[in-house]
Amino acid sequence: MAKKQNKETVEELEQQQNANEDAKNVSEENENNEATEATEKAEEISAEAKLTAENAELKDKFRRLFAEFDNYKKRTAKERIELFKTAGQDIIKELLPVLDDFERAIKANEEATGQPAGENDGFVLIHKKLWANLERKGLKKMEARELDFDAELHEAIAKVPAGDDQKGKVIDVVEEGYFLNDKIIRHAKVVVGN
């Protein structure tokens, strides 16, 4: 019987030892699993951070492209409006000498007859009609007479001696200047007091 008890005690001790080793193995496995899970989580966080950074970069690119496209649309719309405003500029420029000739003809007729031109004179009627059509297209006459000389608006073709109050002022206008939609299409040719 004593052998039996010893055998049982040895078996119990072996079982305890096996249980301790199993517990050790389980705790090592748990530690290994926890370490593996920690590295997997770190990799997931790293991958998530990468994707977040990539997403932010793509959003920034999208915003920049959208802003650039919006600026392009605004610029082309502005250019198109400007083109429509000045589309007939070449034709109007070519009609300006005709307008000048009408004004000279009216003045010459007044000087020859000694009477001011009437509203029903042929030259006056044609001149008014032409001027009205050009005004509708945006043509405006530049005021220059008795104003200070401005090199951006006027082209000085002569200087004449003048009194102190006329120095630097436009004395006479030889050829009228014109604006088309507030853009100068012909500078006024003027005589300036010196």
Side-chain angles (χ1 to χ4, degrees):
M1 238 198 212
K3 275 190 177 182
K4 224 182 195 187
Q5 273 183 341
N6 282 341
K7 212 176 191 184
E8 284 178 11
T9 312
V10 171
E11 282 179 11
E12 282 178 20
L13 285 174
E14 282 179 359
Q15 284 178 354
Q16 280 181 350
Q17 223 175 10
N18 286 340
N20 285 341
E21 285 179 13
D22 287 343
K24 224 187 216 184
N25 288 340
V26 167
S27 70
E28 284 178 6
E29 275 183 35
N30 285 342
E31 286 176 9
N32 286 342
N33 286 343
E34 287 174 6
T36 305
E37 286 176 12
T39 54
E40 286 176 2
K41 281 184 181 178
E43 287 175 4
E44 284 178 23
I45 291 172
S46 173
E48 187 177 322
K50 264 188 199 176
L51 290 174
T52 304
E54 189 178 327
N55 188 17
E57 185 180 326
L58 289 173
K59 280 182 181 179
D60 184 52
K61 275 185 181 178
F62 173 75
R63 284 187 188 117
R64 290 177 188 273
L65 281 173
F66 186 78
E68 189 175 322
F69 181 68
D70 193 42
N71 289 339
Y72 168 77
K73 283 191 332 187
K74 288 176 184 175
R75 186 176 61 250
T76 55
K78 185 178 178 182
E79 288 171 356
R80 187 177 300 137
I81 289 169
E82 187 67 29
L83 180 68
F84 285 132
K85 280 184 177 180
T86 59
Q89 181 175 345
D90 292 337
I91 294 170
I92 291 174
K93 271 185 176 179
E94 290 181 24
L95 287 175
L96 292 179
V98 175
L99 198 59
D100 292 338
D101 290 343
F102 271 113
E103 289 174 1
R104 285 189 206 103
I106 291 169
K107 281 183 185 175
N109 190 29
E110 287 175 357
E111 289 173 3
T113 61
Q115 297 176 358
E119 292 292 317
N120 294 328
D121 286 346
F123 286 127
V124 175
L125 288 173
I126 295 170
H127 178 263
K128 280 187 175 185
K129 190 179 238 182
L130 178 61
W131 179 248
N133 283 325
L134 292 174
E135 264 187 322
R136 278 196 300 268
K137 299 295 181 193
L139 187 70
K140 284 187 245 171
K141 196 178 276 194
M142 186 183 297
E143 294 297 324
R145 200 175 312 278
E146 311 238 347
L147 296 176
D148 289 333
F149 175 76
D150 183 355
E152 294 196 18
L153 299 175
H154 309 126
E155 182 181 334
I157 59 170
K159 286 187 176 185
V160 294
D164 289 336
D165 61 330
Q166 293 291 320
K167 280 190 178 182
K169 293 199 181 265
V170 175
I171 304 293
D172 191 22
V173 178
V174 177
E175 188 175 74
E176 295 287 345
Y178 292 96
F179 294 104
L180 181 63
N181 297 317
D182 299 324
K183 181 180 174 188
I184 299 171
I185 61 169
R186 186 170 84 180
H187 294 82
K189 292 182 181 170
V190 297
V191 176
V192 181
N194 193 10

